[in-house]
Amino acid sequence: MIKKIAIELLKFIPGGERLKMDFFLFRKYFVMKKIARSKGIEVLEEPKRVIIRKGNRQIILSREQGLFGFDVIPMFDNYMKDYLPEKNNGFLEIDFSQPKKHFLNFLNASLWIPSWTEGSWPLKGYLEKYMPQEGDIVFDCGAFCGITTFALSKLVGKTGKVYAFEPDDLNYELLVKNIEENNLRNVIAVKKGIWSHKDTFLFANSGGVGSALAQNAKGDPLQESQFNNKNGEYKNANLIEVISIQDACKLFNISQS
């Protein structure tokens, strides 16, 4: 109780919000390192990077995405199987700290990836629900940089079509790049979000899996701690167009019958 009161009081002193965030991050990294040690993994903090290391293998995250280490640590060995590590100063390394081209073993393909992401396990989960067939039309809603899009493209074949919806600026740029470099002729990239109806929303671009609406339908802010800067303005935010699945079908002349 005393700790909670002390943290709340930081709001009222100069620089208090910064101290509150620093304390929050200190606690998070303390817990992360404790979990990592129990699995024989080190967590090394640098000014611009966070390194998750196990023996001579390491996964690098940007400082901004360092807390995704909680997701990386339990799946460390899976990452090393799903991605082809590069040799760097005696380490086998997967670097998610910046936009980079990676070889994905589970797709047998090289793709541009903007920042931290997951491995093969989300795709496996999607395909457990439905395995697309040759000739299918598939919507990839929130396509990111096109990892799932690539797999869907191969499954639906030349007679099928994949519509990849992605509103984040950097994600969309790399999505298009991956489509072009891998000659995915049955994929159409769409720089829109999918919603219940046609509208425009303020959207916070993160250039990663954390991109999300900055405001809800009423215009109220969402996830302020992540998207607002000290002046109360949104970081990397812009208006995006969202459409419903029904509107998308009409736009591309797709029958829903």
Side-chain angles (χ1 to χ4, degrees), residues 27-191:
R27 286 197 304 170
K28 287 289 186 181
Y29 278 108
F30 178 83
V31 173
M32 185 192 298
K33 290 176 181 180
K34 185 177 180 179
I35 294 171
R37 283 194 300 270
S38 71
K39 298 179 181 296
I41 295 173
E42 293 180 272
V43 177
L44 308 173
E45 296 183 68
E46 295 183 352
K48 294 185 178 181
R49 310 188 307 171
V50 173
I51 301 173
I52 315 293
R53 181 178 293 168
K54 186 177 183 181
N56 71 330
R57 302 176 299 163
Q58 61 187 26
I59 297 171
I60 302 177
L61 309 176
S62 68
R63 188 70 190 188
E64 290 79 10
Q65 292 193 320
L67 291 183
F68 283 119
F70 281 107
D71 299 276
V72 172
I73 289 165
M75 304 299 286
F76 188 93
D77 292 332
N78 297 75
Y79 274 102
M80 289 295 163
K81 293 175 184 176
D82 283 352
Y83 292 86
L84 184 64
E86 296 181 341
K87 292 181 180 180
N88 186 17
N89 294 323
F91 291 97
L92 292 174
E93 175 181 286
I94 302 171
D95 186 0
F96 289 128
S97 67
Q98 58 188 326
K100 189 179 177 74
K101 200 170 190 177
H102 294 266
F103 187 83
L104 288 68
N105 291 322
F106 61 97
L107 295 178
N108 193 32
S110 294
L111 297 176
W112 287 93
I113 297 178
S115 55
W116 172 81
T117 186
E118 297 170 299
S120 61
W121 46 98
L123 176 61
K124 291 176 181 176
Y126 301 150
L127 300 182
E128 283 178 1
K129 302 296 182 183
Y130 176 73
M131 181 64 71
Q133 306 297 312
E134 179 88 23
D136 277 354
I137 296 174
V138 181
F139 283 8
D140 188 2
C141 304
F144 186 45
C145 62
I147 296 173
T148 301
T149 303
F150 181 95
L152 294 172
S153 170
K154 299 303 180 183
L155 288 169
V156 302
K158 294 181 180 179
T159 59
K161 189 78 73 176
V162 179
Y163 293 89
F165 296 84
E166 177 54 55
D168 181 280
D169 289 340
L170 179 57
N171 291 350
Y172 181 80
E173 178 185 331
L174 295 187
L175 169 66
V176 172
K177 197 170 186 178
N178 285 329
I179 291 169
E180 292 174 348
E181 290 189 3
N182 288 281
N183 198 29
L184 303 180
R185 296 183 178 179
N186 60 351
V187 176
I188 296 177
V190 186
K191 199 174 189 298

